[in-house]
Amino acid sequence: MKLRIPKRQPGTPGAEAALVHFCEMLDRCIPILRTVFLIAGVLAAALKVGRTADFLFATGLLFQFAMWFNDWWIRTRAR
């Protein structure tokens, strides 16, 4: 989900800037993580790993839901 944090000002402490950078990086990685977890879950299910396959696939679905909800929320607030 995208955070609405203002751009770094000249007096911003380094720890706050690092946190903002980390959150932006994490936000950009969610589509990649979603795909990786879904594929890993399907492969684990094919290999009959059991609960691990369920966990991986459910995690991918949760990431998908988070992306859908974020898009829906932005569109709803823009109206």
Side-chain angles (χ1 to χ4, degrees), residues 5-79:
I5 299 175
K7 296 293 181 187
R8 183 176 178 204
Q9 301 299 323
T12 305
E16 184 180 339
L19 180 63
V20 169
H21 177 69
F22 176 74
C23 289
E24 288 175 352
M25 181 186 66
L26 186 63
D27 188 50
R28 286 190 303 269
C29 291
I30 287 181
I32 296 166
L33 288 173
R34 174 207 54 195
T35 304
V36 167
F37 279 118
L38 285 173
I39 291 172
V42 169
L43 289 175
L47 296 173
K48 298 181 181 180
V49 176
R51 297 190 106 171
T52 304
D54 296 340
F55 172 77
L56 291 171
F57 193 74
T59 304
L61 288 178
L62 285 174
F63 277 135
Q64 175 63 33
F65 177 72
M67 290 172 52
W68 170 83
F69 182 77
N70 185 38
D71 292 339
W72 174 81
W73 186 259
I74 290 171
R75 277 187 275 126
T76 302
R77 291 187 68 190
R79 291 182 191 169

